[in-house]
Coordinates of all heavy atoms in Angstrom, one line a residue:
A96 N -5.9 -12.6 -77.1 CA -5.0 -12.4 -78.3 C -4.8 -13.7 -79.1 O -4.8 -13.7 -80.3 CB -3.7 -11.9 -77.8
K97 N -4.7 -14.8 -78.4 CA -4.5 -16.1 -79.1 C -5.8 -16.4 -79.9 O -5.7 -17.0 -81.0 CB -4.2 -17.2 -78.1 CG -2.8 -17.2 -77.5 CD -2.6 -18.3 -76.6 CE -1.2 -18.3 -76.0 NZ -1.0 -19.5 -75.1
Q98 N -6.9 -16.1 -79.4 CA -8.2 -16.5 -80.0 C -8.4 -15.8 -81.4 O -9.1 -16.3 -82.2 CB -9.4 -16.3 -79.1 CG -9.4 -17.2 -77.9 CD -10.6 -17.0 -77.0 OE1 -11.3 -16.0 -77.2 NE2 -10.9 -17.9 -76.1
K99 N -7.7 -14.7 -81.6 CA -7.8 -14.0 -82.8 C -7.2 -14.8 -84.0 O -7.5 -14.6 -85.1 CB -7.2 -12.6 -82.7 CG -7.9 -11.7 -81.7 CD -7.1 -10.4 -81.7 CE -7.8 -9.4 -80.7 NZ -7.1 -8.1 -80.6
Y100 N -6.2 -15.6 -83.6 CA -5.5 -16.3 -84.7 C -5.9 -17.8 -84.8 O -5.3 -18.5 -85.6 CB -4.0 -16.3 -84.4 CG -3.4 -14.9 -84.3 CD1 -3.2 -14.3 -83.0 CD2 -3.2 -14.1 -85.4 CE1 -2.7 -13.0 -82.9 CE2 -2.7 -12.8 -85.3 CZ -2.5 -12.3 -84.0 OH -2.0 -11.0 -83.9
F101 N -6.9 -18.2 -84.1 CA -7.3 -19.6 -84.2 C -8.1 -19.8 -85.4 O -8.1 -21.0 -85.9 CB -8.2 -20.0 -82.9 CG -7.3 -20.1 -81.7 CD1 -7.9 -20.0 -80.4 CD2 -6.0 -20.4 -81.7 CE1 -7.2 -20.2 -79.3 CE2 -5.2 -20.6 -80.6 CZ -5.8 -20.5 -79.4
G102 N -8.8 -18.8 -85.9 CA -9.6 -19.0 -87.1 C -10.9 -19.8 -86.8 O -11.5 -19.6 -85.7
S103 N -11.3 -20.6 -87.6 CA -12.5 -21.4 -87.4 C -12.3 -22.9 -87.7 O -11.2 -23.3 -88.1 CB -13.7 -20.9 -88.3 OG -13.3 -21.0 -89.7
G104 N -13.2 -23.7 -87.5 CA -13.0 -25.1 -87.7 C -12.8 -25.9 -86.4 O -12.7 -25.3 -85.3
K105 N -12.8 -27.2 -86.5 CA -12.6 -28.0 -85.4 C -11.3 -27.8 -84.7 O -11.2 -27.8 -83.4 CB -12.8 -29.5 -85.8 CG -14.2 -29.8 -86.2 CD -14.3 -31.3 -86.6 CE -15.7 -31.7 -87.0 NZ -15.8 -33.1 -87.3
N106 N -10.3 -27.7 -85.4 CA -8.9 -27.5 -84.8 C -8.9 -26.2 -84.0 O -8.3 -26.2 -82.9 CB -7.9 -27.6 -85.9 CG -6.5 -27.6 -85.3 OD1 -6.2 -28.3 -84.4 ND2 -5.5 -26.8 -85.9
A107 N -9.5 -25.2 -84.6 CA -9.5 -23.9 -83.9 C -10.3 -24.0 -82.6 O -9.9 -23.4 -81.5 CB -10.0 -22.8 -84.8
K108 N -11.4 -24.7 -82.6 CA -12.2 -24.8 -81.4 C -11.5 -25.7 -80.4 O -11.6 -25.4 -79.2 CB -13.5 -25.5 -81.8 CG -14.4 -24.5 -82.6 CD -15.8 -25.2 -82.9 CE -16.7 -24.3 -83.7 NZ -18.0 -24.9 -84.0
R109 N -10.7 -26.7 -80.9 CA -10.0 -27.5 -79.9 C -8.9 -26.7 -79.2 O -8.7 -26.8 -78.0 CB -9.4 -28.7 -80.7 CG -8.6 -29.7 -79.8 CD -8.1 -30.8 -80.6 NE -7.1 -30.4 -81.6 CZ -5.9 -30.1 -81.4 NH1 -5.4 -30.2 -80.2 NH2 -5.1 -29.6 -82.4
L110 N -8.2 -25.9 -80.0 CA -7.2 -25.0 -79.4 C -7.8 -24.0 -78.4 O -7.2 -23.7 -77.4 CB -6.4 -24.3 -80.5 CG -5.5 -25.2 -81.4 CD1 -4.9 -24.4 -82.5 CD2 -4.4 -25.9 -80.6
E111 N -8.9 -23.5 -78.8 CA -9.6 -22.5 -77.9 C -10.0 -23.1 -76.6 O -9.8 -22.6 -75.5 CB -10.8 -21.9 -78.7 CG -11.5 -20.9 -77.9 CD -12.7 -20.3 -78.6 OE1 -12.9 -20.7 -79.8 OE2 -13.4 -19.5 -78.0
A112 N -10.5 -24.4 -76.7 CA -11.0 -25.1 -75.5 C -9.8 -25.4 -74.6 O -9.9 -25.3 -73.4 CB -11.7 -26.3 -75.9
R113 N -8.7 -25.8 -75.3 CA -7.5 -26.1 -74.5 C -7.0 -24.9 -73.7 O -6.7 -25.0 -72.5 CB -6.4 -26.6 -75.4 CG -5.1 -27.0 -74.7 CD -4.0 -27.1 -75.7 NE -3.7 -25.8 -76.2 CZ -2.8 -25.6 -77.2 NH1 -2.1 -26.6 -77.7 NH2 -2.6 -24.3 -77.7
D114 N -6.9 -23.7 -74.4 CA -6.5 -22.5 -73.7 C -7.4 -22.1 -72.6 O -7.0 -21.6 -71.6 CB -6.3 -21.4 -74.7 CG -5.1 -21.7 -75.7 OD1 -4.3 -22.6 -75.3 OD2 -5.0 -21.0 -76.7
L115 N -8.7 -22.2 -72.9 CA -9.7 -21.8 -71.9 C -9.6 -22.7 -70.6 O -9.7 -22.3 -69.5 CB -11.1 -21.9 -72.4 CG -11.5 -20.8 -73.4 CD1 -12.9 -21.1 -74.0 CD2 -11.5 -19.4 -72.7
K116 N -9.4 -24.0 -70.9 CA -9.2 -25.0 -69.8 C -7.9 -24.6 -69.0 O -7.9 -24.7 -67.8 CB -9.1 -26.4 -70.4 CG -9.1 -27.4 -69.3 CD -9.0 -28.8 -69.9 CE -9.0 -29.9 -68.8 NZ -8.9 -31.3 -69.4
D117 N -6.9 -24.3 -69.7 CA -5.6 -23.9 -69.0 C -5.8 -22.6 -68.2 O -5.3 -22.5 -67.1 CB -4.5 -23.8 -70.0 CG -3.2 -23.5 -69.4 OD1 -2.7 -24.3 -68.6 OD2 -2.6 -22.4 -69.6
F118 N -6.5 -21.7 -68.8 CA -6.8 -20.4 -68.1 C -7.6 -20.7 -66.8 O -7.4 -20.1 -65.8 CB -7.5 -19.5 -69.0 CG -7.9 -18.2 -68.4 CD1 -7.0 -17.2 -68.1 CD2 -9.3 -18.0 -68.0 CE1 -7.4 -16.0 -67.5 CE2 -9.7 -16.8 -67.4 CZ -8.7 -15.8 -67.2
G119 N -8.6 -21.5 -67.0 CA -9.5 -21.8 -65.8 C -8.7 -22.6 -64.7 O -8.9 -22.3 -63.5
R120 N -7.8 -23.5 -65.1 CA -7.0 -24.2 -64.1 C -6.1 -23.2 -63.4 O -5.9 -23.3 -62.2 CB -6.2 -25.3 -64.8 CG -5.4 -26.1 -63.9 CD -4.7 -27.3 -64.6 NE -3.8 -26.9 -65.6 CZ -4.1 -27.0 -66.9 NH1 -5.2 -27.5 -67.3 NH2 -3.2 -26.6 -67.8
R121 N -5.5 -22.3 -64.1 CA -4.6 -21.3 -63.4 C -5.4 -20.4 -62.5 O -5.0 -20.1 -61.4 CB -3.9 -20.5 -64.5 CG -2.8 -21.2 -65.2 CD -1.8 -20.3 -65.9 NE -2.5 -19.4 -66.9 CZ -2.7 -19.7 -68.1 NH1 -2.2 -20.9 -68.6 NH2 -3.3 -18.9 -69.0
Q122 N -6.6 -20.0 -62.9 CA -7.4 -19.2 -62.0 C -7.9 -19.9 -60.8 O -8.0 -19.4 -59.7 CB -8.7 -18.7 -62.8 CG -8.3 -17.7 -64.0 CD -7.5 -16.6 -63.5 OE1 -7.9 -15.9 -62.5 NE2 -6.4 -16.3 -64.1
S123 N -8.2 -21.2 -61.0 CA -8.6 -22.0 -59.8 C -7.4 -22.1 -58.8 O -7.6 -22.0 -57.6 CB -9.0 -23.4 -60.2 OG -10.2 -23.4 -61.1
L124 N -6.2 -22.3 -59.3 CA -5.1 -22.4 -58.5 C -4.8 -21.1 -57.7 O -4.5 -21.0 -56.5 CB -3.8 -22.8 -59.3 CG -2.5 -22.9 -58.5 CD1 -2.7 -24.0 -57.4 CD2 -1.4 -23.2 -59.4
T125 N -5.1 -20.0 -58.5 CA -4.9 -18.6 -57.9 C -5.9 -18.4 -56.8 O -5.6 -17.9 -55.7 CB -5.0 -17.5 -58.9 OG1 -4.0 -17.7 -59.9 CG2 -4.9 -16.2 -58.3
V126 N -7.2 -18.8 -57.0 CA -8.2 -18.6 -56.0 C -7.9 -19.5 -54.8 O -8.1 -19.0 -53.6 CB -9.6 -19.0 -56.6 CG1 -10.6 -19.1 -55.5 CG2 -10.0 -18.0 -57.7
S127 N -7.4 -20.7 -55.0 CA -7.0 -21.6 -53.9 C -5.9 -20.9 -53.0 O -6.0 -21.0 -51.8 CB -6.6 -22.9 -54.4 OG -6.2 -23.8 -53.3
N128 N -4.9 -20.4 -53.7 CA -3.8 -19.7 -53.0 C -4.3 -18.5 -52.2 O -3.9 -18.2 -51.1 CB -2.8 -19.3 -54.0 CG -2.0 -20.5 -54.6 OD1 -2.0 -21.6 -54.0 ND2 -1.5 -20.3 -55.8
L129 N -5.3 -17.8 -52.8 CA -5.8 -16.6 -52.1 C -6.6 -17.0 -50.9 O -6.6 -16.3 -49.9 CB -6.7 -15.8 -53.1 CG -5.9 -15.1 -54.2 CD1 -6.9 -14.3 -55.2 CD2 -4.9 -14.1 -53.7
V130 N -7.4 -18.1 -51.0 CA -8.1 -18.6 -49.9 C -7.2 -18.9 -48.7 O -7.4 -18.6 -47.6 CB -9.0 -19.8 -50.3 CG1 -9.6 -20.4 -49.0 CG2 -10.1 -19.3 -51.2
R131 N -6.1 -19.7 -49.0 CA -5.2 -20.0 -48.0 C -4.5 -18.8 -47.4 O -4.2 -18.7 -46.2 CB -4.1 -21.0 -48.5 CG -4.6 -22.4 -48.8 CD -3.5 -23.4 -48.9 NE -2.7 -23.1 -50.1 CZ -3.0 -23.6 -51.3 NH1 -4.0 -24.4 -51.5 NH2 -2.2 -23.3 -52.4
A132 N -4.2 -17.8 -48.3 CA -3.6 -16.6 -47.8 C -4.5 -15.8 -46.9 O -4.1 -15.2 -45.9 CB -3.2 -15.7 -49.0
R133 N -5.8 -15.8 -47.2 CA -6.8 -15.2 -46.3 C -6.9 -15.9 -45.0 O -7.0 -15.3 -43.9 CB -8.2 -15.3 -47.0 CG -9.3 -14.6 -46.2 CD -9.2 -13.2 -46.1 NE -10.3 -12.6 -45.3 CZ -10.4 -11.3 -45.1 NH1 -9.5 -10.4 -45.5 NH2 -11.4 -10.8 -44.4
E134 N -6.9 -17.2 -45.0 CA -6.9 -18.0 -43.7 C -5.6 -17.7 -42.9 O -5.7 -17.5 -41.7 CB -7.0 -19.5 -44.0 CG -8.3 -19.9 -44.6 CD -8.4 -21.3 -45.0 OE1 -7.3 -22.0 -45.0 OE2 -9.4 -21.8 -45.4
N135 N -4.5 -17.6 -43.5 CA -3.2 -17.3 -42.8 C -3.3 -15.9 -42.2 O -2.8 -15.7 -41.1 CB -2.0 -17.4 -43.8 CG -1.7 -18.8 -44.2 OD1 -2.1 -19.8 -43.4 ND2 -1.1 -19.0 -45.3
Y136 N -3.9 -15.0 -43.0 CA -4.1 -13.6 -42.5 C -4.9 -13.6 -41.3 O -4.6 -12.9 -40.3 CB -4.7 -12.8 -43.6 CG -5.2 -11.5 -43.1 CD1 -4.4 -10.4 -42.9 CD2 -6.6 -11.3 -42.9 CE1 -4.9 -9.2 -42.4 CE2 -7.1 -10.1 -42.4 CZ -6.3 -9.1 -42.2 OH -6.8 -7.9 -41.7
Q137 N -6.0 -14.3 -41.3 CA -6.9 -14.3 -40.1 C -6.2 -15.0 -38.9 O -6.4 -14.5 -37.7 CB -8.2 -15.1 -40.4 CG -9.1 -14.4 -41.4 CD -10.3 -15.2 -41.8 OE1 -10.3 -16.4 -41.6 NE2 -11.3 -14.6 -42.4
G138 N -5.4 -16.0 -39.1 CA -4.7 -16.7 -38.0 C -3.6 -15.7 -37.5 O -3.5 -15.6 -36.2
N139 N -2.9 -15.0 -38.4 CA -1.9 -14.1 -37.9 C -2.5 -12.9 -37.1 O -2.0 -12.5 -36.1 CB -1.1 -13.5 -39.1 CG -0.3 -14.6 -39.7 OD1 0.1 -15.6 -39.1 ND2 0.1 -14.4 -41.0

Side-chain angles (χ1 to χ4, degrees):
K97 286 182 179 181
Q98 289 180 350
K99 293 180 180 180
Y100 304 100
F101 286 158
S103 60
K105 293 182 179 181
N106 189 43
K108 290 181 179 181
R109 183 179 61 81
L110 293 175
E111 181 181 357
R113 184 198 63 185
D114 290 344
L115 287 174
K116 184 178 180 180
D117 184 61
F118 176 77
R120 185 172 59 254
R121 288 197 301 271
Q122 293 305 309
S123 296
L124 182 60
T125 299
V126 170
S127 177
N128 291 336
L129 291 177
V130 169
R131 286 196 297 271
R133 178 70 179 178
E134 292 174 350
N135 290 335
Y136 164 80
Q137 291 176 343
N139 292 337

